[in-house]
């Protein structure tokens, strides 16, 4: 089976990128709150937002490729592919946490974000592909 990039849904990629950005903005504003937390530091300036937008669309594109490559063309199939990606990312964060590279709170915030957003992206791409 050969993957034809022409078969990817541009609408799904754009919608997925926007979904990723909106969800991330809501999720992190709720999880980290409005007040500064000494436990978490952010880089200064607009670069973090520019990179976040680029990452949102790259993540959506990769999900489009994976759903197309696996033949996931329904909501449920897409949700399953997305959830598997979320689990793999969470396992990487778990390893990093075990080696002390992140706090327990940061670990749970990160895996919550990735489990949910990649499951949603998979469902979206499954439906729109």
């Amino acid at each position: 089976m050969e993957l034809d990039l022409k078969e990817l849904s541009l609408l799904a990629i754009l919608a997925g990128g926007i979904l990723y950005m909106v969800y991330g903005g809501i999720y992190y504003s709720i999880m980290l709150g409005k007040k500064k937390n000494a436990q978490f530091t952010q880089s200064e300036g607009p670069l973090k937002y520019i990179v976040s937008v680029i990452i949102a669309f790259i993540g959506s594109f990769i999900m489009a490729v994976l759903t197309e490559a696996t033949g996931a063309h329904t909501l449920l199939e897409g949700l399953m592919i997305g959830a598997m990606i979320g689990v793999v990312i969470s396992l990487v964060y778990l390893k990093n946490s075990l080696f002390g590279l992140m706090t327990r709170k940061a670990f749970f915030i990160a895996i919550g974000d990735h489990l949910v957003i990649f499951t949603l992206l998979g469902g979206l791409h499954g439906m729109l592909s």
Side-chain angles (χ1 to χ4, degrees):
M1 181 170 110
E2 189 174 314
L3 178 66
D4 184 6
L5 293 179
K6 293 178 200 160
E7 294 295 318
L8 301 181
S9 168
L10 183 58
L11 173 64
I13 293 169
L14 293 174
I18 292 168
L19 172 66
Y20 199 132
M21 288 184 292
V22 169
Y23 173 80
I26 293 169
Y27 182 83
Y28 282 101
S29 66
I30 291 170
M31 294 307 293
L32 298 179
K34 298 282 185 193
K35 60 184 175 183
K36 292 271 185 186
N37 187 334
Q39 188 177 13
F40 302 106
T41 57
Q42 293 186 27
S43 60
E44 296 296 323
L47 184 61
K48 65 183 167 213
Y49 300 108
I50 295 167
V51 172
S52 294
V53 168
I54 293 168
I55 289 170
F57 286 102
I58 290 172
S60 184
F61 175 77
I62 291 170
M63 185 61 67
V65 169
L66 291 173
T67 53
E68 184 63 34
T70 60
H73 296 295
T74 67
L75 173 65
L76 183 59
E77 291 170 343
L79 289 171
M80 289 172 45
I81 296 296
M84 286 190 283
I85 293 168
V87 167
V88 169
I89 292 170
S90 297
L91 291 171
V92 171
Y93 276 114
L94 175 60
K95 179 190 59 94
N96 291 342
S97 175
L98 293 173
F99 282 94
L101 298 176
M102 61 191 320
T103 66
R104 179 178 225 119
K105 183 175 182 179
F107 167 71
F108 285 113
I109 290 171
I111 67 166
D113 171 34
H114 293 94
L115 282 171
V116 173
I117 192 55
F118 281 101
T119 301
L120 291 174
L121 279 175
L124 177 93
H125 283 279
M127 280 189 332
L128 297 179
S129 65

